[in-house]
Amino acid sequence: MKLSNGVEIPSPGFGTYKIPDGAVCTDSVCEAVKAGYRHIDTAAVYANERSVGEGIRQCGVPRSELFVTSKVWNTERGYDKTLRAFDKTLSDLGLEYLDLYLIHWPANAMQFGDGADALNLDTWKALERLYSEKLVRSIGLSNFYTAHMTPLLASANVCPHVDQIEYHPGLLQQETVELCRSHDILVEAWSPLGRGHLLADEVLARIGERHSKTPAQLLLRWCVQNGVLPLVKSVHTERILENFDIFDFTLSDEEMAEMAAMPDYRYGSHPDTAAF
């Protein structure tokens, strides 16, 4: 896929959430790259950036061919703290630059009252500086919905290139997705498999029989056909391979609609009520 600034971003991405720091994480990154992934997503709060960086160094593919994302955590919001957090992330990863840096969660009114929007903008200004200094090739948001994004867009000098949100059948996030598309902001999907809860749905079993594909492959393909970049995580080689094998079939319009109509459910926190 291509971002609004012309940077190409590989799809799907390999997520590293809840992969513990150490050999399992390093090996998983290597296995993902071996399977064909070129996009690795991590975050400071995952506490595994050192191992992700080691996987990048060991994988056998040049750094220039990989797309690496990380995120600034909530405790480090604000201009100066964000810049320091970025320096630590870059050091922990052992890299000279990032391909994408995100604000992990918006400051919300529940925690910060009338100061939430200003704090988000202050954090964003730090990302704009990193972008202008070419320490990052693109910058974006994570878990920002319309209410959080609209005031930021009104004051930003650089429009976000990405918004990473929980997105899957049952959580279509139409208002936020439409706002992103109106500003040429790429939507990335975290938990595109509904944290595994969607895999047993009978709709997917029925559609999967027609295509000889697994429920996970259907869910990832559904994202891709909606123009959304899925981020998927596994530490098992067979699943890593399975999750990348989504480009040899196409879901029909009817199948896409049937999946979109699956029951509504949110598996992660809502940005307005996140207290962390």
Side-chain angles (χ1 to χ4, degrees):
M1 296 179 170
K2 187 170 285 189
L3 302 177
S4 61
N5 63 351
V7 170
E8 293 186 340
I9 180 168
S11 176
F14 182 72
T16 61
Y17 177 56
K18 288 194 173 179
I19 302 181
D21 202 36
V24 171
C25 183
T26 295
D27 292 346
S28 296
V29 170
C30 290
E31 287 296 325
V33 173
K34 184 179 178 181
Y37 292 87
R38 293 296 180 267
H39 176 175
I40 310 297
D41 180 279
T42 187
V45 77
Y46 299 172
N48 61 13
E49 289 177 315
R50 292 182 184 276
S51 296
V52 169
E54 190 60 35
I56 289 168
R57 284 184 290 279
Q58 291 183 17
C59 72
V61 170
R63 164 68 181 97
S64 60
E65 295 181 18
L66 300 174
F67 190 101
V68 183
T69 299
S70 194
K71 314 172 192 78
V72 58
W73 185 237
N74 303 347
T75 55
E76 309 308 310
R77 295 185 182 108
Y79 188 83
D80 291 333
K81 290 175 75 175
T82 295
L83 293 177
R84 288 195 294 270
F86 175 81
D87 287 343
K88 185 176 188 308
T89 277
L90 212 59
S91 175
D92 286 348
L93 286 165
L95 300 178
E96 295 181 355
Y97 68 94
L98 289 183
D99 297 280
L100 178 62
Y101 197 48
L102 306 177
I103 302 176
H104 206 149
W105 288 83
N108 60 34
M110 186 185 78
Q111 285 187 294
F112 297 97
D114 293 340
D117 291 341
L119 182 55
N120 288 328
L121 183 60
D122 205 31
T123 306
W124 183 250
K125 292 299 181 185
L127 268 65
E128 289 183 331
R129 174 175 170 176
L130 296 170
Y131 182 63
S132 70
E133 293 178 352
K134 301 188 186 309
L135 291 168
V136 293
R137 298 176 65 220
S138 46
I139 52 177
L141 310 169
S142 180
N143 299 300
F144 275 64
Y145 291 176
T146 301
H148 320 109
M149 209 178 331
T150 299
L152 188 145
L153 290 172
S155 300
N157 293 318
V158 178
C159 183
H161 302 118
V162 165
D163 189 20
Q164 185 181 122
I165 57 176
E166 183 181 357
Y167 177 88
H168 48 71
L171 192 63
L172 305 183
Q173 309 269 36
Q174 289 177 323
E175 183 181 44
T176 297
V177 170
E178 288 171 7
L179 178 64
C180 286
R181 287 179 175 159
S182 71
H183 288 83
D184 202 12
I185 299 169
L186 177 69
V187 176
E188 291 185 340
W190 63 259
S191 285
L193 311 184
R195 293 188 171 169
H197 296 284
L198 299 176
L199 299 179
D201 193 283
E202 61 182 21
V203 170
L204 300 181
R206 186 168 61 252
I207 296 173
E209 286 182 9
R210 299 179 200 142
H211 296 279
S212 297
K213 290 293 182 178
T214 66
Q217 290 169 326
L218 298 180
L219 290 164
L220 298 173
R221 182 68 197 179
W222 181 85
C223 284
V224 169
Q225 287 186 216
N226 277 323
V228 172
L229 192 156
L231 300 161
V232 63
K233 164 251 179 178
S234 180
V235 297
H236 304 289
T237 300
E238 65 276 11
R239 297 259 180 87
I240 291 172
L241 290 166
E242 172 190 320
N243 293 338
F244 195 75
D245 185 21
I246 59 172
F247 297 105
D248 60 351
F249 74 107
T250 301
L251 295 167
S252 69
D253 291 343
E254 293 78 11
E255 290 168 337
M256 291 286 291
E258 192 175 6
M259 290 175 64
M262 288 166 63
D264 291 348
Y265 201 84
R266 176 188 300 277
Y267 298 99
S269 299
H270 192 294
D272 286 339
T273 55
F276 43 80

